[in-house]
Amino acid sequence: MLMPRVIALRPAQVQIDACRGCSVREAALFGALSEAGLSLLHTDRMPIEALDAPADHLIYRLGDAGSAAFTVREGLVRLERISEGGRRCIVRVAGRGELIGAEAILGERYTQDAVACTPVSLCRIPIALLERMQREEPALQLALMRRWQRALDAALTWRIDLQTGPAHHRVLRLLDLLGRHAGPDQTIWLPRREEIADLLGMALETASRSISRLRRDGVLDLLPGGRSARLDGVRLGSALAAAGVA
Amino acid sequence: MLMPRVIALRPAQVQIDACRGCSVREAALFGALSEAGLSLLHTDRMPIEALDAPADHLIYRLGDAGSAAFTVREGLVRLERISEGGRRCIVRVAGRGELIGAEAILGERYTQDAVACTPVSLCRIPIALLERMQREEPALQLALMRRWQRALDAALTWRIDLQTGPAHHRVLRLLDLLGRHAGPDQTIWLPRREEIADLLGMALETASRSISRLRRDGVLDLLPGGRSARLDGVRLGSALAAAGVA
DNA sequence: CGAGCCGTTGAGGGGATTCAAGCTCAGTGG
DNA sequence: CCACTGAGCTTGAATCCCCTCAACGGCTCG
């Protein structure tokens, strides 16, 4: 696992326009900002950086002293912890418009590893900038806390939904959640079997059996490469209903 | 399940002294406040109220529009959700000095039920007051966010630790956590078997078997009433070590 | 080609659930 | 005083789900 390489780091001037026209701006943290605030963003000495990282690259590490939070612009990021007993466990998956690493704002160390699931595009937001923006644009204050609350709350819900009930039901619920981050034509990111196991607290083989069964049932159609699949929303829905969930 | 009755609601004047001499003040939210800020607290039109509630009483309800956060002054409070599928599940247990219901500050509805485990003493902090204090004492801002982050983070850790591994290990870890809220002479709150099951995601009978075994091993000594027990820290420690945890 | 990773599938065993029967204890009322 | 009752706890027995161990096939890459 390597540190993410900065594949594309655009100069500040270009970045202003990138933000203004950003596809996730309304959804993202700075959606609350005025135009004036927006231009402030990029005259700062610590500018927002746009960075891309390939799949499986480490974005930040648990325990690192955080100097930035990140907004996910494109792709999926997973947040992992090591539980007591050394078991790795995926706490949450963050998609478009979501904020990760916000604990850095408190001057605390990151409480998870953040790893790219797919190739991702991120905006790196230095905490120094966040602190300044909080002073100058009070609207950001509330937006930030709200987003933060939602992030941690989502992590909790995620854990609760995905850790209870029989193994196959948990897999169904996971696919349901992944389906919400689906690309066009229902293409979803399909984790490796070991990752599914870590997400759902089960053995790797159990995850495999479950996926195989779903493939046979026509719910899932694996795409070449093994990391993505086409999801039949209707069949998933009826499978969920049959399982007595949702 | 009834709404909590306000058993003791002291007048504001008395309450000032209660805060100043509060046994959990350093640990609690307003530990960050100056003396001046402290007296501000009680001249407000919406004062902090001290309230007591007996065991099993509902402090606030999931989905209610929150008008206050609470600091736990004495006793234990559990935060519950209903997961998809209707299964009740205890998200976290809060003890002395901990803050619950902070999501009210964002104007959001409560995201859990809060129920007293033992008889509890609480401080009810109106959000209007919190908003005012945030403006007038910026130090509170950071303290609030830090505490909030810690609360949600604790909930996550709690879930992760208590939901993985064999049933008996989970029970051991639960007792370890409850032990940290122990009274003098190692007396802990012992949940009903059904509650243990909800906490740990197992069947009621499994919880019972585990507790019985611990009793035979001398780790636990049930006290009359069934809701409390004496915990042998040393034996628990070695049991945890033997289980390969901790 | 062989090595290694990932996924799949089978067989076996163990731990947890489920179903079910007693048990203790507090409260109630005859 | 004592049977009656119901709630909570315990314990047993049977079943089943899931984990572990294991073998095998496809794929990429040196």
Side-chain angles (χ1 to χ4, degrees), chain B residues 19-38:
Chain B
C19 268
R20 189 170 286 128
C22 178
S23 54
V24 296
R25 189 183 151 204
E26 336 67 52
L29 182 58
F30 293 123
L33 286 185
S34 63
E35 268 290 316
L38 199 58

Side-chain angles (χ1 to χ4, degrees), chain A residues 166-167 202-203 205-206 209:
Chain A
M202 63 179 63
E205 296 91 331
T206 307
R209 284 181 236 273

Side-chain angles (χ1 to χ4, degrees), chain A residues 174-186:
Chain A
L174 173 62
L175 289 179
D176 185 35
L177 288 172
L178 289 176
R180 295 177 195 173
H181 294 288
D185 64 4
Q186 293 290 61

Side-chain angles (χ1 to χ4, degrees), chain A:
Chain A
M1 198 86 82
L2 305 168
M3 284 302 292
R5 291 181 299 253
V6 176
I7 308 281
L9 174 51
R10 310 175 213 166
Q13 203 58 11
V14 177
Q15 181 59 19
I16 299 182
D17 297 332
C19 268
R20 190 169 286 128
C22 178
S23 54
V24 295
R25 188 184 153 204
E26 335 68 54
L29 182 59
F30 293 122
L33 286 184
S34 63
E35 268 289 317
L38 200 56
S39 54
L40 252 177
L41 271 188
H42 304 285
T43 55
D44 197 284
R45 281 184 310 132
M46 301 195 65
I48 291 181
E49 295 172 14
L51 31 102
D52 298 328
D56 290 326
H57 269 229
L58 185 65
I59 296 162
Y60 55 78
R61 186 187 301 272
L62 185 154
D64 278 357
S67 60
F70 298 83
T71 291
V72 179
R73 197 148 29 81
E74 204 60 59
L76 282 182
V77 174
R78 64 175 182 269
L79 302 176
E80 308 181 344
R81 285 194 191 188
I82 306 297
S83 77
E84 306 191 24
R87 194 184 174 94
R88 188 175 56 138
C89 121
I90 298 179
V91 162
R92 174 187 160 223
V93 169
R96 278 171 63 91
E98 294 194 67
L99 182 71
I100 62 176
E103 56 269 37
I105 297 165
L106 296 181
E108 293 183 4
R109 295 174 180 279
Y110 291 123
T111 52
Q112 302 101 4
D113 284 336
V115 184
C117 297
T118 62
V120 291
S121 300
L122 303 170
C123 288
R124 180 182 185 280
I125 309 172
I127 54 171
L129 174 59
L130 274 173
E131 284 164 359
R132 184 179 158 200
M133 297 307 296
Q134 280 190 51
R135 283 193 301 274
E136 303 193 3
E137 287 242 0
L140 183 63
Q141 183 82 40
L142 197 63
L144 178 61
M145 291 177 85
R146 221 185 274 282
R147 181 159 298 272
W148 187 358
Q149 156 80 13
R150 215 179 314 149
L152 277 156
D153 198 65
L156 249 186
T157 305
W158 179 273
R159 290 297 297 177
I160 291 172
D161 290 347
L162 296 184
Q163 294 284 349
T164 61
H168 193 61
H169 295 190
R170 302 210 294 274
V171 175
L172 289 175
R173 281 195 286 253
L174 173 62
L175 289 179
D176 185 35
L177 288 172
L178 289 176
R180 295 177 195 173
H181 294 288
D185 64 4
Q186 293 290 61
T187 299
I188 63 167
W189 168 63
L190 193 67
R192 289 180 13 227
R193 302 300 170 268
E194 190 186 358
E195 293 171 331
I196 297 180
D198 287 341
L199 269 158
L200 304 181
M202 63 179 63
L204 177 160
E205 296 91 331
T206 307
S208 176
R209 284 181 236 273
S210 231
I211 293 293
S212 296
R213 176 175 156 193
L214 290 171
R215 203 158 38 127
R216 279 192 293 274
D217 294 349
V219 175
L220 214 50
D221 188 16
L222 301 200
L223 300 178
R227 297 303 193 85
S228 60
R230 197 159 289 129
L231 184 64
D232 186 327
V234 179
R235 291 189 186 171
L236 176 61
S238 51
L240 279 165
V245 195

Side-chain angles (χ1 to χ4, degrees), chain B residues 156-236:
Chain B
L156 250 186
T157 305
W158 177 274
R159 290 296 300 175
I160 290 173
D161 289 349
L162 295 184
Q163 293 283 351
T164 61
H168 193 61
H169 295 190
R170 303 210 293 274
V171 175
L172 289 175
R173 280 195 286 253
L174 174 61
L175 289 179
D176 184 35
L177 288 171
L178 290 175
R180 296 177 194 174
H181 295 288
D185 65 5
Q186 293 291 61
T187 299
I188 63 168
W189 169 64
L190 192 67
R192 291 181 14 228
R193 303 299 170 270
E194 190 185 359
E195 293 172 329
I196 297 180
D198 287 341
L199 268 159
L200 305 182
M202 62 178 65
L204 180 160
E205 297 91 331
T206 307
S208 175
R209 283 182 235 274
S210 232
I211 294 292
S212 296
R213 177 175 156 193
L214 290 171
R215 204 158 38 128
R216 279 193 293 274
D217 294 351
V219 175
L220 214 50
D221 187 15
L222 301 199
L223 299 179
R227 297 302 194 84
S228 60
R230 198 159 288 130
L231 184 64
D232 185 329
V234 179
R235 290 188 186 172
L236 176 61

Side-chain angles (χ1 to χ4, degrees), chain B residues 110-191:
Chain B
Y110 291 122
T111 52
Q112 300 101 5
D113 284 337
V115 185
C117 297
T118 63
V120 291
S121 299
L122 304 170
C123 288
R124 180 183 186 280
I125 309 172
I127 54 172
L129 175 59
L130 275 173
E131 283 164 359
R132 183 179 159 201
M133 296 306 296
Q134 279 190 53
R135 283 193 301 273
E136 303 194 3
E137 287 242 0
L140 184 62
Q141 183 83 41
L142 197 63
L144 179 60
M145 290 176 86
R146 221 186 274 281
R147 181 159 297 272
W148 187 357
Q149 156 79 15
R150 215 180 313 150
L152 277 155
D153 200 64
L156 250 186
T157 305
W158 177 274
R159 290 296 300 175
I160 290 173
D161 289 349
L162 295 184
Q163 293 283 351
T164 61
H168 193 61
H169 295 190
R170 303 210 293 274
V171 175
L172 289 175
R173 280 195 286 253
L174 174 61
L175 289 179
D176 184 35
L177 288 171
L178 290 175
R180 296 177 194 174
H181 295 288
D185 65 5
Q186 293 291 61
T187 299
I188 63 168
W189 169 64
L190 192 67

